[in-house]
C-alpha cells in the first residue's frame, strides 16, 4: 500500500490518498480539502480490475453532490444513484477525477507505454464542484499520454481543454508533482 499527500501548487489545501494494489486490481481512496476553483471538501474511492480498467467510482462533496458510477471494463457505464446507463461514456476505460492527481495513475498503468509512445484516450472526467452544471455525472474528455521516461515521466495532455503537463511519477505510478496544479508534500509509511 502507498500513502501519499498533495497540496495545490501554491501550498494550500491538502489531500490524503491511499493506493492499494493486488492481483484483483487497484483501489484509490482519498480525502481532499481543496482550494482549486473555490473551497471544498471531498471523499473519493476508485476501484479497477486487474488490467487497471475503472470498475467503480464514488465521489461525495461535503455538503453537496454525490456520484456513484460503475463500469464493466469494456467501456459501458452505469449511474448507480439513478439506476441508468450512461451511453455517452461508451468506450471510456479510465476515470479522471478533477480534484486529485491520483487518477492519472490509472491510464499510466493500464497503457504501459514504451519510451516516446503516445496514446489518445477518452476518459470519464468528474468535474470540480464549480464545474457541475445540472446533474452530477462524469463527462467525456479526450486526453493523450506520452511516455517520456518509462516508469518516471509522462506528458499528459487534456485535449478537451488544451492543457499540457509533464508528470513525474514514483514507483507506484503515483504523481509526484503536477506542475502548476498539485505538489507532493509527503509519502506516509503505512501503519501496520
Amino acid at each position: 500500500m502507498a500513502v501519499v499527500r498533495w497540496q495545490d501548487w501554491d501550498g494550500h489545501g491538502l489531500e490524503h490518498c491511499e493506493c492499494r494494489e493486488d492481483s484483483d486490481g487497484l483501489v484509490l481512496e482519498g480525502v481532499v480539502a481543496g482550494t482549486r476553483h473555490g473551497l471544498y471538501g471531498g471523499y473519493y474511492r476508485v476501484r479497477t480490475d486487474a488490467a487497471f480498467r475503472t470498475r467503480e467510482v464514488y465521489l461525495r462533496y461535503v455538503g453537496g453532490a454525490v456520484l456513484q458510477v460503475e463500469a464493466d471494463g469494456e467501456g459501458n457505464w452505469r449511474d448507480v444513484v439513478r439506476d441508468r446507463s450512461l451511453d455517452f461514456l461508451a468506450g471510456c476505460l479510465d476515470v479522471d477525477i478533477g480534484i486529485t492527481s491520483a487518477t492519472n495513475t490509472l491510464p499510466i498503468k493500464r497503457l504501459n507505454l514504451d519510451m516516446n509512445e503516445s496514446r489518445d484516450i477518452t476518459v470519464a472526467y468528474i468535474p470540480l464542484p464549480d464545474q457541475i452544471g445540472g446533474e452530477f455525472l462524469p463527462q467525456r474528455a479526450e486526453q493523450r499520454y506520452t511516455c517520456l521516461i518509462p516508469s518516471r515521466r509522462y506528458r499528459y495532455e487534456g485535449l478537451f481543454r488544451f492543457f499540457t503537463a509533464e508528470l513525474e511519477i514514483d514507483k507506484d505510478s503515483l504523481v509526484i508533482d503536477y506542475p502548476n496544479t498539485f505538489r507532493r508534500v509527503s509519502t506516509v509509511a503505512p501503519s501496520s
Side-chain angles (χ1 to χ4, degrees), residues 104 107-108 111 113-121 143-150 152-159 163-169 175 177-179:
N104 291 97
I108 288 171
L111 295 171
L113 300 172
D114 291 327
M115 180 89 150
N116 297 319
E117 183 181 4
S118 291
R119 186 87 48 87
D120 288 4
I121 61 174
Q143 299 180 348
R144 177 179 299 129
Y145 281 84
T146 303
C147 176
L148 302 176
I149 302 172
R152 297 216 20 236
R153 185 175 291 275
Y154 292 79
R155 180 182 306 113
Y156 161 78
E157 295 173 74
L159 303 176
F163 177 82
T164 300
E166 287 193 12
L167 309 177
E168 185 178 346
I169 63 168
V175 171
D177 284 338
Y178 191 132

